């Protein structure tokens, strides 16, 4: 690759989002290092990605050779020091500001001065993190959508500290991994898609909590009347109900407005550990393979 281009990608956090981001980059031809402090999480990521890609080979979306080559380019590590060669680092850890700031401060001591440090967060804007690194001009948001292996859109967000060069390189990178980027020229929590989706989520939860309809019925209306591919409650299960909870808590901590707090039903689900598909139960129930069981409305 040419000088100044991205030549090694690192993804920090091997959960559902991070593992898929790493796979997408490897499929596009980049050497990728997926890092997580939990070895168990890395092992789960390997199994998850193998299952995902095997199914895509069976359906003819990729050849076996393409998938094997991508896995050859993808390495797994628990050591953050192994990311020193990366000049594009994408953070996909828990939605907690302190954890992200600690991570970026560590990365700043490891990667090259010109490395782009991006957060996948759509809630925590990069200006809340950039002050802990030596080169804040290299920091931005690069927000992928779940499931990353399927969704084409990526939001790139330019903070007041982000250089034009970083924004341009990030947009070019997104195109190189065969995604469609949109550039937000200034920060706003939630960006575009999630701000719009958030209004729909709030109304769906209001209707459910106040007994106007069941969550199954609300999901059905969104699919059949609004032509959405997935209903809001099924979507929360897919992305993780805890993610919704942390997003709302971050927003509440910033605004102090009680209306920004997580919905009662969301807080209750988190307290019970019913986080959605990843725990086998959320608003719906799932088997060991992640397939929804029961609670289906037949139409």
């Amino acid at each position: 690759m040419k000088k100044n281009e991205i030549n090694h990608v690192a993804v920090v956090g091997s959960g559902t989002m991070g593992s898929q981001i790493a796979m997408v980059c490897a499929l596009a031809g980049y050497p990728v290092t997926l890092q997580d402090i939990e070895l168990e999480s890395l092992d789960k990521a390997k199994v998850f990605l193998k299952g995902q890609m095997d199914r895509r080979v069976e359906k003819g979306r990729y050849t076996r050779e393409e998938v094997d080559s991508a896995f050859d380019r993808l390495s797994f590590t628990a050591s953050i020091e192994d990311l020193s060669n990366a000049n594009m680092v994408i953070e996909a850890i828990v939605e907690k500001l302190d954890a992200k700031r600690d991570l970026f401060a560590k990365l700043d001591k490891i990667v090259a001065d010109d490395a782009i440090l991006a957060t996948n967060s759509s809630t925590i804007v990069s200006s809340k993190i950039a002050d802990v690194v030596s080169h804040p001009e290299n920091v931005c948001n690069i927000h992928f959508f779940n499931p990353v292996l399927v969704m084409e859109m990526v939001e790139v967000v330019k903070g007041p500290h982000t250089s034009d060069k970083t924004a341009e390189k990030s947009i070019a990178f997104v195109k190189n991994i065969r995604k469609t980027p949109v550039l937000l020229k200034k920060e706003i929590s939630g960006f575009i898609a999630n701000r719009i989706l958030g209004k729909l989520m709030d109304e769906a939860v209001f209707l459910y909590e106040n007994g106007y309809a069941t969550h199954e019925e609300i999901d059905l209306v969104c699919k059949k009347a609004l032509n959405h591919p997935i209903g809001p409650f099924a979507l929360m299960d897919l992305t993780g109900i805890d993610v919704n909870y942390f997003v709302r808590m971050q927003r509440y901590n910033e605004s102090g407005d009680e209306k920004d707090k997580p919905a009662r039903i969301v807080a209750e689900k988190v307290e019970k550990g019913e986080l959605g598909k990843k725990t086998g139960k959320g608003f719906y129930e799932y088997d060991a393979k992640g397939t929804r069981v029961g609670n289906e409305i037949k139409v």
Side-chain angles (χ1 to χ4, degrees):
M1 296 183 181
K2 296 178 182 178
K3 188 178 180 181
N4 293 328
E5 285 190 353
I6 305 303
N7 53 43
H8 193 114
V9 178
V11 180
V12 182
S14 62
T16 301
M17 291 297 292
S19 60
Q20 291 185 78
I21 293 170
M23 192 76 241
V24 163
C25 295
L27 285 166
Y30 286 99
V32 182
T33 303
L34 179 60
Q35 188 269 340
D36 198 298
I37 58 174
E38 297 290 342
L39 290 173
E40 183 180 356
S41 181
L42 289 169
D43 289 339
K44 287 181 178 178
K46 293 176 188 177
V47 173
F48 169 73
L49 290 175
K50 185 179 186 305
Q52 289 288 318
M53 298 316 300
D54 284 349
R55 283 192 286 274
R56 282 163 172 76
V57 170
E58 290 171 4
K59 294 178 180 179
R61 295 175 183 170
Y62 294 97
T63 66
R64 174 53 62 186
E65 290 74 19
E66 287 173 327
V67 169
D68 288 346
S69 294
F71 274 111
D72 287 342
R73 289 188 288 271
L74 177 57
S75 60
F76 300 80
T77 183
S79 174
I80 195 170
E81 283 75 19
D82 290 341
L83 309 185
S84 60
N85 291 332
N87 58 352
M88 166 62 80
V89 184
I90 302 171
E91 168 272 312
I93 65 171
V94 66
E95 284 293 281
K96 293 183 177 179
L97 179 58
D98 288 346
K100 293 181 189 294
R101 287 175 61 84
D102 288 345
L103 172 63
F104 274 64
K106 291 176 182 176
L107 289 169
D108 185 53
K109 296 179 175 64
I110 295 168
V111 300
D113 289 346
D114 62 347
I116 293 176
L117 300 178
T119 173
N120 181 58
S121 178
S122 66
T123 306
I124 299 173
V125 292
S126 66
S127 61
K128 295 184 177 295
I129 305 171
D131 62 297
V132 304
V133 304
S134 304
H135 295 277
E137 68 273 12
N138 298 335
V139 178
C140 66
N141 289 77
I142 300 180
H143 176 235
F144 294 79
F145 292 87
N146 193 30
V148 181
L149 287 166
V150 177
M151 300 294 283
E152 295 182 11
M153 178 56 61
V154 176
E155 294 171 318
V156 176
V157 185
K158 189 175 184 291
H161 53 278
T162 309
S163 69
D164 290 340
K165 181 179 179 181
T166 294
E168 290 165 5
K169 287 179 69 174
S170 298
I171 289 290
F173 167 73
V174 172
K175 291 178 179 177
N176 284 342
I177 60 172
R178 303 165 194 150
K179 299 295 184 183
T180 302
V182 63
L183 176 65
L184 277 75
K185 299 170 184 63
K186 57 183 181 179
E187 294 180 332
I188 185 169
S189 179
F191 309 153
I192 298 173
N194 283 347
R195 288 185 70 84
I196 295 171
L197 179 62
K199 298 298 183 183
L200 184 143
M201 287 281 195
D202 288 348
E203 191 62 28
V205 169
F206 171 83
L207 293 169
Y208 174 48
E209 286 190 332
N210 288 277
Y212 291 100
T214 65
H215 67 271
E216 297 97 335
E217 291 167 332
I218 296 168
D219 275 358
L220 185 63
V221 169
C222 288
K223 290 173 68 176
K224 298 298 183 181
L226 303 180
N227 203 29
H228 291 185
I230 187 172
F233 294 98
L235 181 59
M236 276 193 275
D237 274 6
L238 177 63
T239 57
I241 295 173
D242 55 329
V243 173
N244 179 284
Y245 177 84
F246 287 134
V247 165
R248 296 306 295 261
M249 282 304 299
Q250 176 65 29
R251 191 175 301 169
Y252 169 68
N253 290 335
E254 291 178 7
S255 70
D257 189 339
E258 291 290 321
K259 293 179 180 178
D260 287 334
K261 274 188 173 181
R264 173 182 54 80
I265 188 62
V266 169
E268 289 175 357
K269 289 287 184 185
V270 171
E271 288 171 7
K272 293 177 182 178
E274 297 175 358
L275 307 182
K277 194 172 182 179
K278 62 186 174 184
T279 60
K281 186 176 182 181
F283 291 101
Y284 298 93
E285 294 187 11
Y286 304 85
D287 63 21
K289 294 182 179 180
T291 303
R292 190 193 301 179
V293 295
N295 294 326
E296 292 280 4
I297 297 177
K298 303 299 182 183
V299 294

mmCIF file of all heavy atoms in Angstrom, residues 185-200:
data_model
loop_
_atom_site.group_PDB
_atom_site.id
_atom_site.type_symbol
_atom_site.label_atom_id
_atom_site.label_comp_id
_atom_site.label_asym_id
_atom_site.label_seq_id
_atom_site.Cartn_x
_atom_site.Cartn_y
_atom_site.Cartn_z
ATOM 1 N N LYS A 185 -19.915 16.710 9.884
ATOM 2 C CA LYS A 185 -18.889 17.738 9.951
ATOM 3 C C LYS A 185 -18.735 18.350 11.337
ATOM 4 O O LYS A 185 -17.813 19.113 11.598
ATOM 5 C CB LYS A 185 -19.188 18.816 8.910
ATOM 6 C CG LYS A 185 -19.178 18.256 7.486
ATOM 7 C CD LYS A 185 -19.711 19.246 6.482
ATOM 8 C CE LYS A 185 -19.767 18.615 5.093
ATOM 9 N NZ LYS A 185 -20.693 17.464 5.044
ATOM 10 N N LYS A 186 -19.657 18.033 12.239
ATOM 11 C CA LYS A 186 -19.505 18.419 13.634
ATOM 12 C C LYS A 186 -20.224 17.404 14.508
ATOM 13 O O LYS A 186 -21.081 16.652 14.042
ATOM 14 C CB LYS A 186 -20.037 19.834 13.878
ATOM 15 C CG LYS A 186 -21.487 20.066 13.495
ATOM 16 C CD LYS A 186 -21.844 21.528 13.731
ATOM 17 C CE LYS A 186 -23.309 21.792 13.371
ATOM 18 N NZ LYS A 186 -23.669 23.209 13.632
ATOM 19 N N GLU A 187 -19.844 17.403 15.778
ATOM 20 C CA GLU A 187 -20.322 16.377 16.697
ATOM 21 C C GLU A 187 -21.745 16.636 17.192
ATOM 22 O O GLU A 187 -22.144 17.773 17.408
ATOM 23 C CB GLU A 187 -19.417 16.314 17.934
ATOM 24 C CG GLU A 187 -18.020 15.849 17.679
ATOM 25 C CD GLU A 187 -17.198 15.827 18.957
ATOM 26 O OE1 GLU A 187 -17.496 16.624 19.886
ATOM 27 O OE2 GLU A 187 -16.252 15.042 19.021
ATOM 28 N N ILE A 188 -22.465 15.537 17.399
ATOM 29 C CA ILE A 188 -23.720 15.551 18.130
ATOM 30 C C ILE A 188 -23.958 14.126 18.599
ATOM 31 O O ILE A 188 -23.803 13.176 17.831
ATOM 32 C CB ILE A 188 -24.906 16.064 17.277
ATOM 33 C CG1 ILE A 188 -26.168 16.164 18.139
ATOM 34 C CG2 ILE A 188 -25.133 15.201 16.041
ATOM 35 C CD1 ILE A 188 -27.314 16.907 17.468
ATOM 36 N N SER A 189 -24.268 13.943 19.865
ATOM 37 C CA SER A 189 -24.454 12.608 20.412
ATOM 38 C C SER A 189 -25.571 11.866 19.676
ATOM 39 O O SER A 189 -26.646 12.410 19.443
ATOM 40 C CB SER A 189 -24.793 12.696 21.908
ATOM 41 O OG SER A 189 -24.996 11.404 22.449
ATOM 42 N N GLY A 190 -25.295 10.626 19.307
ATOM 43 C CA GLY A 190 -26.284 9.820 18.588
ATOM 44 C C GLY A 190 -26.123 9.888 17.087
ATOM 45 O O GLY A 190 -26.649 9.050 16.366
ATOM 46 N N PHE A 191 -25.438 10.922 16.606
ATOM 47 C CA PHE A 191 -25.206 11.123 15.180
ATOM 48 C C PHE A 191 -26.534 11.188 14.420
ATOM 49 O O PHE A 191 -27.461 11.817 14.904
ATOM 50 C CB PHE A 191 -24.270 10.053 14.618
ATOM 51 C CG PHE A 191 -23.000 9.893 15.414
ATOM 52 C CD1 PHE A 191 -22.323 8.683 15.441
ATOM 53 C CD2 PHE A 191 -22.487 10.935 16.153
ATOM 54 C CE1 PHE A 191 -21.159 8.532 16.184
ATOM 55 C CE2 PHE A 191 -21.322 10.808 16.886
ATOM 56 C CZ PHE A 191 -20.658 9.589 16.899
ATOM 57 N N ILE A 192 -26.631 10.561 13.265
ATOM 58 C CA ILE A 192 -27.853 10.686 12.462
ATOM 59 C C ILE A 192 -28.816 9.536 12.723
ATOM 60 O O ILE A 192 -29.931 9.725 13.210
ATOM 61 C CB ILE A 192 -27.516 10.758 10.962
ATOM 62 C CG1 ILE A 192 -26.659 11.996 10.668
ATOM 63 C CG2 ILE A 192 -28.805 10.811 10.127
ATOM 64 C CD1 ILE A 192 -26.132 12.062 9.241
ATOM 65 N N ALA A 193 -28.378 8.330 12.398
ATOM 66 C CA ALA A 193 -29.286 7.175 12.444
ATOM 67 C C ALA A 193 -29.852 6.945 13.837
ATOM 68 O O ALA A 193 -31.063 6.748 14.001
ATOM 69 C CB ALA A 193 -28.570 5.924 11.946
ATOM 70 N N ASN A 194 -28.987 6.960 14.857
ATOM 71 C CA ASN A 194 -29.458 6.642 16.197
ATOM 72 C C ASN A 194 -30.295 7.748 16.828
ATOM 73 O O ASN A 194 -31.112 7.488 17.724
ATOM 74 C CB ASN A 194 -28.284 6.280 17.100
ATOM 75 C CG ASN A 194 -27.790 4.869 16.840
ATOM 76 O OD1 ASN A 194 -28.459 4.079 16.173
ATOM 77 N ND2 ASN A 194 -26.624 4.543 17.353
ATOM 78 N N ARG A 195 -30.111 8.982 16.391
ATOM 79 C CA ARG A 195 -30.992 10.043 16.892
ATOM 80 C C ARG A 195 -32.416 9.837 16.356
ATOM 81 O O ARG A 195 -33.394 10.027 17.077
ATOM 82 C CB ARG A 195 -30.453 11.421 16.488
ATOM 83 C CG ARG A 195 -29.212 11.824 17.235
ATOM 84 C CD ARG A 195 -28.787 13.238 16.883
ATOM 85 N NE ARG A 195 -29.720 14.228 17.408
ATOM 86 C CZ ARG A 195 -29.676 14.713 18.646
ATOM 87 N NH1 ARG A 195 -28.742 14.291 19.488
ATOM 88 N NH2 ARG A 195 -30.529 15.621 19.042
ATOM 89 N N ILE A 196 -32.489 9.464 15.090
ATOM 90 C CA ILE A 196 -33.814 9.201 14.505
ATOM 91 C C ILE A 196 -34.412 7.933 15.115
ATOM 92 O O ILE A 196 -35.578 7.895 15.521
ATOM 93 C CB ILE A 196 -33.695 9.073 12.976
ATOM 94 C CG1 ILE A 196 -33.263 10.427 12.377
ATOM 95 C CG2 ILE A 196 -35.014 8.618 12.356
ATOM 96 C CD1 ILE A 196 -32.898 10.368 10.914
ATOM 97 N N LEU A 197 -33.585 6.881 15.189
ATOM 98 C CA LEU A 197 -34.052 5.616 15.759
ATOM 99 C C LEU A 197 -34.447 5.769 17.222
ATOM 100 O O LEU A 197 -35.407 5.146 17.692
ATOM 101 C CB LEU A 197 -32.949 4.565 15.628
ATOM 102 C CG LEU A 197 -33.256 3.175 16.191
ATOM 103 C CD1 LEU A 197 -34.440 2.543 15.472
ATOM 104 C CD2 LEU A 197 -32.027 2.280 16.086
ATOM 105 N N GLY A 198 -33.705 6.613 17.947
ATOM 106 C CA GLY A 198 -34.000 6.805 19.362
ATOM 107 C C GLY A 198 -35.405 7.324 19.615
ATOM 108 O O GLY A 198 -36.063 6.936 20.593
ATOM 109 N N LYS A 199 -35.881 8.211 18.743
ATOM 110 C CA LYS A 199 -37.244 8.722 18.892
ATOM 111 C C LYS A 199 -38.260 7.606 18.719
ATOM 112 O O LYS A 199 -39.258 7.528 19.443
ATOM 113 C CB LYS A 199 -37.502 9.834 17.865
ATOM 114 C CG LYS A 199 -36.603 11.057 18.015
ATOM 115 C CD LYS A 199 -36.797 11.738 19.358
ATOM 116 C CE LYS A 199 -35.953 13.005 19.462
ATOM 117 N NZ LYS A 199 -36.073 13.665 20.787
ATOM 118 N N LEU A 200 -37.996 6.728 17.754
ATOM 119 C CA LEU A 200 -38.891 5.592 17.538
ATOM 120 C C LEU A 200 -38.853 4.635 18.734
ATOM 121 O O LEU A 200 -39.894 4.145 19.184
ATOM 122 C CB LEU A 200 -38.493 4.856 16.254
ATOM 123 C CG LEU A 200 -39.391 3.686 15.830
ATOM 124 C CD1 LEU A 200 -39.516 3.642 14.317
ATOM 125 C CD2 LEU A 200 -38.864 2.351 16.332
#
